[in-house]
């Protein structure tokens, strides 16, 4: 049966996949490429770092991940100030992969939680500078509303701390964010396994972004496929509309015409 | 003359441009961005932009990363 058209629209562009994947923590670029292919992702995140001057001819990530085939989403991971985050975005844009960025202004190295005032300030500067801004933010409906109001293209509330694999820790907040948001809601960070991704999509999130859950699996390629299927299952369940929950049983076989 | 390139000192000949430096490093065809003294230099200016003694040069590219 052919799938019904159900595009994920982000900043005016249609995508088939609702899974966005990172490119960090893989054993090599070949494995990164295979995992991305298995995940079916069309948007991949990358980090911006200094070129290794002592060996500048070393292989480059973009030799494996073709920017013509994938939407490259540079992040500002590792930025603890508004200035560093904005500077990193501007460098990424100059490096020639477009103007969509995953904004992170990190507040603390132990939790890697976002610095909310810093994220809001940087988002405003970047939107005003013509960027398509996808901010990583707490599962906080108020911050998400403010980011939407200032013109971000999506909000990316965390499911749990980055790299923790704890899954969606506060589904009630995510539900409130979903209820109020008129822009895509992408759960970013904290997903641990395929069922976590399914839950996010079942709730009505538009997409999910992950890295460690795939890269740190014993078999990253297989997990990438599991995530693809988990996201698809969650989306289809959301569209199908789940049955209501009841406390007592309701028989699904006819109650009459039993043998005596 | 000496510039500071990605945090390390590097000798450049007098009058060298960013284009010269980028070629010397074998980065001519790579997706990179260059900053001199915290100003981003557009690609089309690499051939004109002369480096000066003491310039702080940053050359960045994309690496694997998620969050």
């Amino acid at each position: 049966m052919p799938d019904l058209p159900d595009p994920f629209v982000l900043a005016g562009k249609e995508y088939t996949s609702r899974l966005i994947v990172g490119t960090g923590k893989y054993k090599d670029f070949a494995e990164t490429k295979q995992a991305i292919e298995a995940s079916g992702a069309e948007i991949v995140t990358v980090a911006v770092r200094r070129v290794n001057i002592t060996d500048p001819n070393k292989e480059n990530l973009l030799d494996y991940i073709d920017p013509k085939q994938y939407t490259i989403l540079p992040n500002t991971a590792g930025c603890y100030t508004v200035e560093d985050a904005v500077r990193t975005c501007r460098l990424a844009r100059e490096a020639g992969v477009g103007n969509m960025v995953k904004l992170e202004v990190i507040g603390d190295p132990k939790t890697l939680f976002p610095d909310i005032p810093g994220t809001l300030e940087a988002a405003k500067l970047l939107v005003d500078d013509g960027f398509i801004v996808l901010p990583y933010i707490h599962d906080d409906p108020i911050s998400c509303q403010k980011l939407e109001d200032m013109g971000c293209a999506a909000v990316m509330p965390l499911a749990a701390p980055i790299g923790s694999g704890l899954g969606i820790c506060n589904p009630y907040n995510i539900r409130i964010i979903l209820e109020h948001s008129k822009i895509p809601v992408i759960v970013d960070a904290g997903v641990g396994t395929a069922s976590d991704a399914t839950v996010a999509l079942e709730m009505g999130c538009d997409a999910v972004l992950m890295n460690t859950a795939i890269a740190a699996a014993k078999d990253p390629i297989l997990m990438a496929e599991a995530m693809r299927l988990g996201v698809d299952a969650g989306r289809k369940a959301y569209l199908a509309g789940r049955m209501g929950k009841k406390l007592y049983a309701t028989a699904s076989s006819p109650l009459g015409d039993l043998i005596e | 003359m000496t510039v500071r390139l990605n945090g390390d000192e590097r000798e450049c000949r007098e009058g060298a441009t960013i284009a010269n430096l980028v070629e010397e490093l074998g980065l001519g065809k790579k997706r990179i961005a260059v900053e001199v003294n915290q100003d981003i230099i557009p690609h089309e200016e690499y051939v004109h932009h002369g480096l000066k003694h003491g310039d702080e040069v940053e050359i960045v590219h994309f690496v694997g990363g998620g969050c």
Side-chain angles (χ1 to χ4, degrees):
Chain A
M1 193 181 78
D3 283 350
L4 293 168
D6 172 36
F8 166 46
V9 182
L10 181 61
K13 192 170 169 190
E14 289 192 357
Y15 298 92
T16 311
S17 171
R18 290 174 180 273
L19 177 55
I20 303 172
V21 296
T23 53
K25 298 188 181 174
Y26 289 99
K27 76 170 195 276
D28 53 34
F29 289 144
E31 187 184 72
T32 313
K33 182 181 163 76
Q34 272 184 287
I36 292 170
E37 283 170 0
S39 76
E42 297 159 291
I43 306 173
V44 300
T45 66
V46 298
V48 179
R49 292 291 181 273
R50 283 173 164 171
V51 169
N52 181 350
I53 297 300
T54 50
D55 187 11
N57 290 315
K58 231 171 74 176
E59 282 182 320
N60 184 289
L61 176 67
L62 295 189
D63 296 336
Y64 285 80
I65 316 295
D66 183 359
K68 290 193 199 76
Q69 190 184 347
Y70 294 98
T71 297
I72 306 293
L73 179 61
N75 68 28
T76 63
C79 292
Y80 285 82
T81 64
V82 173
E83 293 70 30
D84 281 352
V86 170
R87 186 179 168 198
T88 300
C89 290
R90 289 182 175 148
L91 283 165
R93 179 168 63 183
E94 183 56 31
V97 292
N99 62 349
M100 189 158 75
V101 289
K102 173 181 188 309
L103 172 65
E104 300 177 34
V105 181
I106 303 296
D108 155 59
K110 194 167 178 185
T111 60
L112 297 178
F113 280 147
D115 172 339
I116 295 179
T119 304
L120 294 171
E121 190 185 337
K124 176 84 174 72
L125 288 168
L126 291 166
V127 168
D128 288 348
D129 195 12
F131 282 94
I132 297 168
V133 182
L134 313 181
Y136 158 71
I137 193 67
H138 282 277
D139 51 3
D140 166 32
I142 308 301
S143 303
C144 287
Q145 186 64 55
K146 288 185 177 181
L147 289 163
E148 176 176 336
D149 291 346
M150 68 175 65
C152 290
V155 285
M156 305 210 293
L158 52 82
I162 291 172
S164 68
L166 292 172
I168 297 181
C169 290
N170 195 340
Y172 304 103
N173 272 24
I174 300 287
R175 266 174 58 185
I176 295 171
I177 292 166
L178 285 166
E179 232 180 84
H180 290 91
S181 188
K182 292 183 188 65
I183 54 176
V185 176
I186 303 167
V187 160
D188 173 15
V191 164
T193 187
S195 55
D196 296 335
T198 306
V199 168
L201 274 290
E202 263 176 11
M203 289 174 65
C205 293
D206 295 274
V208 62
L209 192 158
M210 64 181 73
N211 190 155
T212 310
I214 297 174
K218 285 197 184 73
D219 183 338
I221 317 298
L222 193 56
M223 185 56 92
E225 189 189 349
M227 290 298 185
R228 174 172 64 77
L229 295 168
V231 165
D232 279 356
R235 179 65 185 175
K236 287 194 164 88
Y238 167 73
L239 292 174
R242 62 154 297 151
M243 62 164 283
K245 291 182 182 179
K246 295 176 203 149
L247 189 56
Y248 290 98
T250 312
S252 51
S253 302
L255 296 175
D257 297 330
L258 290 163
I259 53 168
E260 286 179 15
Chain B
M1 66 171 177
T2 311
V3 299
R4 186 163 278 277
L5 173 59
N6 286 1
D8 290 324
E9 290 200 340
R10 184 180 180 92
E11 280 302 317
C12 288
R13 65 171 171 77
E14 288 297 327
T17 63
I18 294 175
N20 297 142
L21 178 63
V22 164
E23 276 307 318
E24 204 177 294
L25 293 167
L27 296 169
K29 292 190 178 64
K30 303 285 185 188
R31 278 173 206 271
I32 55 163
V34 177
E35 239 185 30
V36 178
N37 303 327
Q38 297 220 7
D39 285 329
I40 293 173
I41 311 299
H43 280 75
E44 58 274 18
E45 287 178 23
Y46 289 1
V47 286
H48 309 297
H49 193 109
L51 292 166
K52 293 188 298 296
H53 181 76
D55 275 349
E56 300 268 348
V57 183
E58 293 282 341
I59 304 182
V60 299
H61 67 159
F62 297 115
V63 302
C67 308

